[in-house]
Amino acid sequence: MVHKTEALFRDDAYLKEAEAAVVAINDRGGVVLDRTIFYATSGGQPGDTGLLERADGSRVAIAATITGETKDEIIHVPAPGQAVPTIGERLKLAIDWQRRHLLMRMHAACHLLTVVCPFPITGAAVSVDDSRVDFDIPDAGFTKEDVTARLMELVRADHPIFTRLITDQELAANPGLVKSKNVRPPVGTGNIRLVCIGDNASIDSQPCGGTHVRSTGEVGEIHIGKIEKKGRENRRFRIRFGPMPAI
């Protein structure tokens, strides 16, 4: 049986704590809740870690969060040696906020990179200190310095970042919204979640289920650490926090 988890983070990525009830424990001890603030690994963004607190004050450390048979089922994976809560039990949830906020800043930075480099995306991975976006570009023609300067222009402009929903039909009528070359956003639910940057989405708009900061200014200082050639028409751009190191 597939259980649907209410994903509180989709509407508010800044929720650090919440309460929820256990609806299932899978055969490997994974905990399924009726609602959660824990993001599950998807779209290149790692799942959240954190704690589940039981009524007696004892805590269950969550080492990973993944999806089940569908993306609507979110499984909280306890670290080894943890006690497993029981079905029906009410728990207090707390994510590792420091880690999540770094991922939110970095995921937003990856979106900014797709604005600076408007080419088909062939892959991406978000992490807390070194993220990557791969583009289908025959000849890069980009330098780390130029891309970093353009990224920081967008960061300093402090554009708003927000989400909105469109229908499957609206997405079909606007295929340019999809930047990924190989992965299509899931359709059939009736709604597609867009992450938008800029007033009235003037800077960017693309389907994404991840978590992001509220404005480009919150991304902070970033730079391109490396541009790598990965095949004849593939270039990998690595984003890192902080100023570009002096040569």
Side-chain angles (χ1 to χ4, degrees):
M1 178 180 175
V2 176
H3 298 85
K4 184 171 182 176
T5 306
E6 183 186 355
L8 300 175
F9 55 81
R10 288 212 182 105
D11 292 325
D12 185 356
Y14 287 79
L15 283 174
K16 304 174 185 69
E17 298 178 341
E19 292 189 4
V22 179
V23 295
I25 304 292
N26 70 12
D27 54 5
R28 285 178 280 186
V31 181
V32 183
L33 305 170
D34 60 345
R35 61 208 292 262
T36 191
I37 53 175
F38 284 71
Y39 180 84
T41 301
S42 180
Q45 180 176 329
D48 282 320
T49 59
L51 297 169
L52 307 180
E53 185 176 318
R54 307 177 79 177
D56 63 3
S58 64
R59 293 175 167 184
V60 180
I62 298 302
T65 309
I66 59 175
T67 54
E69 290 185 37
T70 74
K71 286 201 172 186
D72 288 328
E73 185 178 59
I74 296 176
I75 300 170
H76 308 74
V77 182
Q82 303 288 298
V84 176
T86 57
I87 293 173
E89 193 173 342
R90 288 202 65 80
L91 304 169
K92 292 181 180 178
L93 322 181
I95 57 171
D96 180 340
W97 172 249
Q98 188 173 6
R99 177 177 178 272
R100 158 71 88 75
H101 192 242
L102 286 170
L103 292 170
M104 287 164 59
R105 289 169 59 200
M106 195 60 102
H107 201 151
C110 290
H111 281 246
L112 295 180
L113 181 57
T114 71
V115 174
V116 174
C117 300
F119 300 94
I121 299 166
T122 55
V126 181
S127 81
V128 296
D129 52 10
D130 184 313
S131 297
R132 66 170 176 84
V133 183
D134 299 348
F135 295 99
D136 183 353
I137 311 174
D139 178 19
F142 289 95
T143 67
K144 294 186 297 181
E145 293 76 14
D146 287 346
V147 175
T148 296
R150 293 177 65 192
L151 284 172
M152 286 310 301
E153 280 178 21
L154 291 168
V155 170
R156 293 190 187 101
D158 201 20
H159 297 290
I161 302 176
F162 61 95
T163 62
R164 69 183 182 93
L165 297 176
I166 62 169
T167 64
D168 294 347
Q169 292 76 18
E170 286 176 293
L171 181 68
N174 295 277
L177 290 171
V178 180
K179 297 189 176 187
S180 176
K181 186 176 181 180
N182 306 316
V183 181
R184 313 303 291 178
V187 295
T189 61
N191 285 315
I192 306 292
R193 181 179 187 259
L194 294 183
V195 171
C196 306
I197 302 174
D199 293 323
N200 298 315
S202 58
I203 303 297
D204 190 44
S205 185
Q206 59 179 293
C208 183
T211 60
H212 312 78
V213 287
R214 293 190 182 110
S215 72
T216 62
E218 200 176 330
V219 170
E221 189 150 27
I222 50 174
H223 68 276
I224 298 298
K226 194 182 288 185
I227 301 175
E228 302 168 291
K229 186 174 182 178
K230 295 286 180 180
R232 189 166 57 88
E233 296 187 341
N234 208 39
R235 298 294 182 277
R236 175 168 294 173
F237 289 68
R238 292 197 171 275
I239 307 175
R240 294 169 187 161
F241 284 125
M244 182 172 279
I247 298 174

